[in-house]
Amino acid sequence: MFLKKVSSFTKFYIRQAMANRITLVFTLLFPVLWTLYQGLSAHRATQMSATHLITATIPFTAYIIVSTALEGVALATMATRDSGFLKSFYFVSGSRWPMLYANMLVQTGLVVLENLVYSAFSMFLYHAFSLQLLLLVVLLTIVTFPLVSLFLTCILLLPVRANSLSALGTSLLIILLMLFDVRTSNALLTGLAQLSPYQFIANTLRLFLGDLTLGTLGVEAVVIAIYCVVGFISYQQLNLQNRGRA
């Protein structure tokens, strides 16, 4: 019964995603344009090894994952709540979770496609083909996207409308991306930085590449636990009524 509900909502979210194709284009536009600028301005659009290609593309792969999690899952759920549909869907299904799982399923497929397109563009720009990169992109997306999406549902507790957070949220994601490689000696800031979705994705990639240190595994386990707890509590406590005040 639960799977049947998820299947029904999946069809709804597929239609919704196809109706918002412009969002998919803009999610890809920033990484593609910035990568093109970097490659041409630094005259680096030449042959690049697979390892360097993975290093060069992972920040924007992470941006596509986090941006889609924010816009496609968190803010989309908030918009559905603001319109009153979320409450209606809840009464129909008897549970709030099939809706979230169905949307995550659809968005995971879309973000895999987006990252494959971006990876293909990067390989063309840098004249390198890496099957390892393509496989890592698919695996990294499937593993991290649902967890990041679940964590970002914490914004659903804010008493504001989705359109008020959309521009602010996208700007914040770009700022965090620019601060991705910033290092600090402050232990508290270092610990908080580990909770950043970008850092979580980077740490997951290190694990996939074989950097299996005890410290990395420990940090990854703690972050995953926090993401799950925060996401579960946030979505469970979500008020299905329209709480938007701004």
Side-chain angles (χ1 to χ4, degrees):
M1 181 63 71
F2 182 83
L3 292 179
K4 186 176 181 180
K5 293 176 182 178
V6 172
S7 176
S8 298
F9 283 117
T10 297
K11 297 174 184 177
F12 165 78
Y13 283 113
I14 289 176
R15 290 194 294 268
Q16 188 179 57
M18 292 301 100
N20 296 320
R21 288 187 293 270
I22 192 66
T23 302
L24 303 179
V25 175
F26 276 104
T27 301
L28 274 171
L29 191 61
F30 171 66
V32 166
L33 291 180
W34 188 257
T35 301
L36 182 63
Y37 167 76
Q38 286 183 318
L40 297 181
S41 64
H43 305 288
R44 289 182 296 174
T46 55
Q47 184 69 36
M48 181 181 288
S49 68
T51 301
H52 288 162
L53 183 63
I54 293 171
T55 302
T57 58
I58 188 58
F60 292 107
T61 298
Y63 171 81
I64 292 172
I65 291 173
V66 179
S67 178
T68 306
L70 175 67
E71 292 284 349
V73 178
L75 292 181
T77 301
M78 183 179 286
T80 307
R81 181 202 65 190
D82 294 346
S83 65
F85 283 116
L86 192 63
K87 185 178 180 180
S88 299
F89 293 161
Y90 172 77
F91 284 129
V92 169
S93 66
S95 173
R96 62 185 68 201
W97 291 100
M99 296 174 281
L100 182 65
Y101 291 153
N103 195 17
M104 279 189 184
L105 182 63
V106 172
Q107 296 299 327
T108 298
L110 290 176
V111 78
V112 166
L113 179 61
E114 288 177 304
N115 273 327
L116 286 176
V117 170
Y118 171 70
S119 299
F121 167 79
S122 300
M123 288 188 290
F124 173 79
L125 178 66
Y126 291 109
H127 309 290
F129 176 78
S130 173
L131 180 60
Q132 181 188 21
L133 173 61
L134 296 179
L135 293 175
L136 278 174
V137 161
V138 173
L139 183 59
L140 190 67
T141 301
I142 291 174
V143 171
T144 62
F145 180 78
L147 290 167
V148 172
S149 299
L150 187 62
F151 176 65
L152 290 180
T153 58
C154 63
I155 71 171
L156 296 175
L157 300 181
L158 298 175
V160 295
R161 292 181 180 273
N163 54 10
S164 300
L165 282 177
S166 183
L168 177 63
T170 302
S171 301
L172 180 61
L173 291 183
I174 295 176
I175 293 172
L176 289 175
L177 179 62
M178 293 178 177
L179 297 175
F180 180 68
D181 290 325
V182 173
R183 296 292 182 265
T184 176
S185 58
N186 187 292
L188 178 60
L189 292 179
T190 300
L192 291 176
Q194 298 301 318
L195 291 176
S196 165
Y198 290 127
Q199 192 61 53
F200 168 64
I201 294 170
N203 287 341
T204 304
L205 177 65
R206 292 189 186 99
L207 293 179
F208 290 161
L209 292 175
D211 186 9
L212 301 175
T213 64
L214 186 60
T216 305
L217 286 172
V219 169
E220 192 81 346
V222 171
V223 172
I224 289 175
I226 292 175
Y227 276 21
C228 291
V229 170
V230 170
F232 179 82
I233 293 176
S234 299
Y235 192 68
Q236 190 65 35
Q237 295 301 315
L238 169 65
N239 190 327
L240 299 178
Q241 300 289 344
N242 187 339
R243 297 181 62 201
R245 294 200 294 265

